[in-house]
Amino acid sequence: MTTSGATSFNLDLNNLIEEAFERCGSELRTGYDFRTARRSLNLLTAEWANRGVNLWTIEQGEVAMVQGQIAYELPIDTVDLLEHVIRTGTSQNQQDLTITRISVSTYATIPNKLAQGRPIQVWVDRQSGATYPSGGRPEGTNPSTGVDHPQIYVWPTPDQSNYYTFVYWRMRRIQDGGNGTTTQDIPFRFLNCMVAGLAYYLAMKIAPERMEALKFQYDEQWKYAAEEDRDKSAIRFVPRRMFIE
């Protein structure tokens, strides 16, 4: 016997929703069924952003720093920053230097926020991503788009332009469900977890008698997927010596 030789199995949105409906003991029949399932799927991915780091959504980015400028925008789909450094120089002469993340309380107590030098601290203002009409936007909103972008505030402010680069690794949002022919923005390892989660979300609306069983299956599939989707680099623990006089 020969194997298929293929390793490309995936589910487009239609098939994913159909599988979730079948686990609820129902069928996908109407356009409204499709819309309500897609809405639940987008809410499910929002839940995943709150559950922790999704490794496949980590992306690197850079922001060129300008002398005297305090605040800089991040991409609108940024959930949070995981790591960040200040890079000086270019090519083989570049150096990545530590910049410490601080809280809004710490940033607020800095006496002179316009002091210039090499940035050593950053406050990440995650914002809401909301869109405001012209003239109704709060301070910090992009004036050209009216969108409430996540921002970083650095201290000290850069003492020269085009010398410092803020390099970061961010967790972005999982992409929306899309139309019926698109596949989802997840690795294949999370397919069963996504179907189980969507089935549980749908059961709240169409099959409450199956909610408990589907919730158990969803939690189990999330455990399997999340335990596999982790950083597997080596960790070394060094005991700390304590001296007692």
Side-chain angles (χ1 to χ4, degrees), residues 59-67 69-76 78 81 83-90 95-97 99 119 122-124 149-154 156-158 160-170:
E59 294 181 347
Q60 181 180 344
E62 298 181 357
V63 178
M65 315 222 83
V66 179
Q67 183 175 2
Q69 182 172 328
I70 299 175
Y72 301 84
E73 287 187 353
L74 297 172
I76 188 62
T78 300
L81 298 189
E83 297 289 347
H84 31 66
V85 295
I86 288 292
R87 178 170 294 168
T88 62
T90 58
Q95 285 187 304
D96 287 348
L97 306 172
I99 181 169
V122 59
W123 165 45
V124 181
H149 277 257
Q151 293 181 320
I152 57 168
Y153 290 76
V154 297
T157 62
Q160 52 186 306
S161 296
N162 302 320
Y163 179 71
Y164 303 110
T165 303
F166 183 81
V167 182
Y168 60 85
W169 288 262
R170 71 183 183 118

Side-chain angles (χ1 to χ4, degrees), residues 115-223:
Q116 294 190 10
R118 174 174 68 83
I120 60 173
Q121 294 181 322
V122 59
W123 165 45
V124 181
D125 185 5
R126 298 171 67 182
Q127 294 289 353
S128 66
T131 301
Y132 296 90
S134 177
R137 60 182 182 84
E139 184 178 355
T141 305
N142 187 311
S144 62
T145 63
V147 177
D148 207 5
H149 277 257
Q151 293 181 320
I152 57 168
Y153 290 76
V154 297
W155 185 88
T157 62
D159 56 4
Q160 52 186 306
S161 296
N162 302 320
Y163 179 71
Y164 303 110
T165 303
F166 183 81
V167 182
Y168 60 85
W169 288 262
R170 71 183 183 118
M171 185 171 76
R172 64 163 174 80
R173 286 180 56 171
I174 300 173
Q175 296 174 13
D176 297 343
N179 57 41
T181 60
T182 55
T183 55
Q184 300 310 296
D185 180 27
I186 59 171
F188 79 96
R189 303 183 305 276
F190 274 77
L191 275 175
N192 207 11
C193 180
M194 177 166 277
V195 171
L198 180 57
Y200 167 60
Y201 271 48
L202 289 174
M204 298 182 197
K205 298 184 277 190
I206 64 172
E209 71 281 358
R210 297 196 178 202
M211 277 181 57
E212 185 176 350
L214 292 173
K215 178 65 163 62
F216 176 81
Q217 292 175 12
Y218 173 40
D219 288 342
E220 188 176 51
Q221 289 301 323
W222 173 263
K223 178 176 179 292

